[in-house]
Amino acid sequence: MQELTHYINGEHVTGSSGRFSDVFNPATGEVQARCPLASSEEMDKAVAAAAAAQPAWGATNPQRRARVLMKFVDLLNRDMQKLAEALSREHGKTVPDAKGDVQRGLEVVEYCIGAPQMLKGEFTDSAGPGIDMYSMRQPLGVTAGITPFNFPAMIPMWMFAPAIACGNAFILKPSERDPSVPLMLAELMEEAGLPKGILQVVNGDKEAVDAILDHPVIQSIGFVGSTPIAEYIYGRGCSNGKRVQCFGGAKNHMIVMPDADMDQAADALVGAGYGAAGERCMAISVAVPVGDETADRLIEKLVPRIEKLKVGPYTAGDDVDYGPVVTAAAKENILRLVESGVEQGAKLVVDGRDFSLQGYEDGFFVGAHLFDHVTPEMDIYKKEIFGPVLSTVRAGSYEEALKLAMDHEYGNGTAIFTRDGDTARDFANRINIGMVGINVPIPVPLAYHTFGGWKKSAFGDLNQHGPDAFKFYTRTKTITSRWPSGLKEGGEFHFKAMD
Ligand code: NAD
C-alpha cells in the first residue's frame, strides 16, 4: 500500500509521528494509501523552513514572483489529466468534474499573476510642506491554510496562490481524506521555480491543526470546511492574535417562482443538487417552489430527470453524472438523515436507499433522493446533508420563500428562478446570503470577484480570492517622510518653515 508523505522544505518527508489515516478509493471501498498525521514537532520543522525562506521571497520583486505563477499555470495545463485522475481516485468525483476542480483553482492563479498591479501602494505628494505620505502592502510572513476534502485542488490554490504572490510562505494542511493532489501541486510549484520552503504540505488531523493555531510564528490562517470546525479555528486562532478567515457549511435554497421556465429550473436543480454527489458547498439542497401548482409542476419534471441520473465510478466514462461519496462514514450519515426525513413525515418521492452498483458493492455510492413536503423543523432541512438529497419546501408566497431562506442559519449561496426582473432584483437586494444566482443555480464568483458566504457560512471580514485576497495576505504600512527642501549652503540645510 502506498504511504504518502509530507512535503517539507522541498523534500518528500516520511511521517514520523507513527500516526496515519486511511485514504480510500471511494468507488471500490478499498484502502489505497496511508496518510501520515503530523505531530507538532513535524509542524515546527515546516514553520522553521518557511520562516527561513520567506524573507528572500518577500524581497523578490512581485513581477518575478508572478512569473513563477505563470509557469505554474502551464504546468497545471500540462498535467491536467494526471491531476484529475489522481483527484478522482481519492475523492470519487468524475474526471470532468475533477478537471473543473483544477481549472477553477488555476483561474485564481491566473488572477494572482496580476500581483504587481494589486500590490501597488498609494502615494500622496506634499501632504505637508516637504512631506510625502505613502502606503505599501507588505507580506505577513509565514501563513497557513486548512482545507476540506471536497475541492482538493481548487481550495488550496484559492489560498496559496495569493499568499505566495504577496510574498508570504504558506503551509498547507489539506484534508487527510484526499491529500495526493495537494502534494502534487507543491511539487509543480517548485518545478515552476518557487524556492524551497515557500509552499509546504503538512498532512494531519486535529493535532496538526492545533499546532498551526498555537504556533507563534504563523501570522494568518485560512480555513474552509464544516461550520463547527470553522467556529473552533476562528475562535482559537483569533484569541492567539492571528489573522483568520474561515468558511463553513451551507444549505443553499433555490426559489422557483410560478413564472419560471420550469424545464430550465428542473435541469438546474438536477445539476446543482446531485452533481459531485451533492458534495459541494454551493450545491442546491433545498428547492422552494412558490405555490402548490408550481411545486407539482416542478416535482413532475424533476422525478424523471433524477431517475435517469447515471451513478458510477470515475473510470466508467464521461457520461457518469456523479460518483461515490468520500467515505463509508459520509454515506452512513447521509442515509441516516434520509431515514430521519421519512420518520419526521417528509414524502420521499425518489427513493435511492436501496441503490447498489454491480461490481462496486463495497463502494460508497449513494442513490439520488428527492423529498417533497419538507418543513423547517425537520433535520433534513436544518442540517447540511452533503449528499445527493434534494429537499422540497413548498412556500405559499414569494415573501414566505424569502423569509425561509433568510431564517436559515447558513448563508453561503442561493438562487431564484423567475422571468420577473422586479422579483429578481428585490431578492438580490433583500436576501442575507453572500452569493446569489438569478436563473443561475450555482453562482460561484469568478476569480477576480470574491467568494464568501454570510451568517454561519463564514467567519472573518474578508472573502476568498478577488481583491480581498490581496488584503488578507498583506498588511499595510504607511510612511510619512520629510526631506530637507532648503538650499544647501555652507554645508548646512536651511529648512523652510512649516505651516
Ligand atoms: P471538515 O470540517 O471535516 O474538515 C476540514 C478540515 O478541517 C480538514 O483539513 C480536516 O482535517 C480539519 N479538521 C477536521 N476536524 C477537525 C478538528 N476537530 N479540529 C481541527 N481540524 C479539524 O470538512 P470536510 O468534511 O473536509 O468538508 C466539507 C465541509 O466543508 C462542508 O461543510 C462544506 O460545506 C464545507 N465547505 C465550505 C466551503 C465554503 O467556501 N464555504 C467550500 C467547500 C467546503
Side-chain angles (χ1 to χ4, degrees):
M1 190 199 308
Q2 192 192 1
E3 187 168 317
L4 298 170
T5 59
H6 307 296
Y7 195 74
I8 297 178
N9 207 16
E11 308 286 340
H12 282 280
V13 178
T14 310
S16 60
S17 71
R19 295 194 310 122
F20 294 88
S21 67
D22 290 335
V23 179
F24 292 91
N25 176 341
T28 61
E30 286 160 351
V31 177
Q32 57 178 334
R34 292 205 307 170
C35 173
L37 302 174
S39 62
S40 59
E41 290 75 27
E42 288 167 296
M43 187 61 73
D44 284 346
K45 284 187 186 141
V47 175
Q54 189 276 328
W57 180 245
T60 301
N61 80 53
Q63 207 165 357
R64 279 177 191 271
R65 295 200 301 251
R67 281 190 199 126
V68 173
L69 295 180
M70 276 184 222
K71 176 80 180 150
F72 179 57
V73 167
D74 288 345
L75 299 178
L76 287 173
N77 281 316
R78 183 195 70 188
D79 288 359
M80 182 64 85
Q81 186 70 24
K82 193 168 125 192
L83 287 161
E85 282 176 17
L87 200 157
S88 295
R89 200 159 45 241
E90 288 184 353
H91 177 283
K93 63 175 80 172
T94 64
V95 173
D97 218 5
K99 284 184 181 163
D101 191 331
V102 178
Q103 176 64 29
R104 292 309 288 261
L106 181 157
E107 288 166 11
V108 173
V109 180
E110 285 175 331
Y111 172 71
C112 292
I113 291 168
Q117 170 70 15
M118 297 304 294
L119 293 174
K120 279 194 319 200
E122 295 172 330
F123 186 85
T124 302
D125 173 45
S126 299
I131 294 179
D132 300 324
M133 194 174 285
Y134 60 99
S135 48
M136 51 194 188
R137 308 203 71 92
Q138 293 196 314
L140 304 174
V142 180
T143 60
I146 299 148
T147 52
F149 81 87
N150 68 326
F151 282 99
M154 176 183 82
I155 295 178
M157 285 191 262
W158 276 0
M159 297 181 186
F160 76 65
I164 288 171
C166 289
N168 300 288
F170 187 87
I171 297 173
L172 173 65
K173 204 305 282 170
S175 171
E176 63 276 38
R177 293 180 231 169
D178 46 13
S180 290
V181 169
L183 289 164
M184 291 162 80
L185 296 177
E187 280 174 24
L188 290 181
M189 280 290 275
E190 283 193 17
E191 190 181 339
L194 190 73
K196 293 184 193 316
I198 298 299
L199 175 60
Q200 302 178 93
V201 179
V202 180
N203 283 305
D205 57 1
K206 185 172 176 5
E207 188 172 335
V209 171
D210 287 347
I212 289 173
L213 290 171
D214 296 339
H215 204 296
V217 172
I218 294 176
Q219 300 296 308
S220 78
I221 300 171
F223 171 85
V224 179
S226 59
T227 289
I229 312 297
E231 281 184 301
Y232 165 69
I233 289 177
Y234 191 70
R236 187 154 161 181
C238 288
S239 70
N240 283 337
K242 299 184 194 310
R243 187 178 289 192
V244 190
Q245 58 173 189
C246 294
F247 297 86
K251 195 79 181 175
N252 304 318
H253 294 52
M254 180 171 132
I255 290 159
V256 182
M257 296 299 292
D259 66 352
D261 178 325
M262 223 43 76
D263 284 302
Q264 195 190 50
D267 286 340
L269 274 169
V270 171
Y274 302 92
E279 290 177 323
R280 290 180 181 141
C281 69
M282 289 295 278
I284 295 287
S285 47
V286 184
V288 190
V290 172
D292 275 331
E293 200 204 329
T294 313
D296 292 342
R297 278 162 60 214
L298 184 66
I299 297 279
E300 193 183 304
K301 296 213 179 265
L302 280 173
V303 171
R305 285 168 165 83
I306 296 168
E307 285 173 345
K308 248 192 270 159
L309 286 171
K310 187 171 171 195
V311 183
Y314 75 93
T315 45
D318 288 357
D319 64 333
V320 169
D321 289 298
Y322 72 83
V325 297
V326 69
T327 55
K331 177 175 174 171
E332 278 163 29
N333 185 46
I334 294 163
L335 293 177
R336 201 170 33 241
L337 277 161
V338 169
E339 286 306 330
S340 82
V342 174
E343 281 160 21
Q344 291 169 18
K347 186 173 169 199
L348 191 53
V349 184
V350 178
D351 185 350
R353 285 176 293 180
D354 290 334
F355 181 85
S356 160
L357 197 63
Q358 212 184 354
Y360 293 91
E361 287 78 5
D362 294 331
F364 312 138
F365 292 95
V366 180
H369 296 80
L370 174 66
F371 277 110
D372 194 3
H373 298 286
V374 174
T375 58
E377 312 74 50
M378 295 178 183
D379 287 343
I380 51 169
Y381 179 74
K382 288 190 283 195
K383 296 188 177 169
E384 182 180 38
I385 303 175
F386 227 51
V389 184
L390 181 64
S391 298
T392 309
V393 182
R394 294 173 173 232
S397 64
Y398 164 68
E399 286 296 332
E400 201 183 308
L402 179 74
K403 184 170 181 322
L404 184 78
M406 289 184 69
D407 286 349
H408 204 285
E409 65 171 346
Y410 291 123
N412 212 40
T414 188
I416 187 165
F417 272 61
T418 178
R419 286 190 172 94
D420 184 58
D422 190 29
T423 308
R425 189 170 185 278
D426 183 78
F427 183 73
N429 281 329
R430 286 167 67 198
I431 196 77
N432 57 357
I433 289 172
M435 292 172 280
V436 182
I438 296 170
N439 298 317
V440 172
I442 307 189
V444 176
L446 291 176
Y448 38 93
H449 288 268
T450 70
F451 180 110
W454 288 15
K455 300 186 276 181
K456 291 251 175 186
S457 294
F459 304 83
D461 304 325
L462 294 167
N463 276 354
Q464 299 274 4
H465 58 69
D468 276 12
F470 285 89
K471 292 190 183 131
F472 185 74
Y473 286 109
T474 55
R475 55 188 142 208
T476 306
K477 187 181 278 176
T478 307
I479 294 110
T480 306
S481 76
R482 182 170 69 184
W483 288 97
S485 58
L487 294 172
K488 205 174 174 190
E489 282 175 11
E492 281 181 46
F493 285 109
H494 295 271
F495 293 98
K496 283 182 185 160
M498 288 190 61
D499 290 335

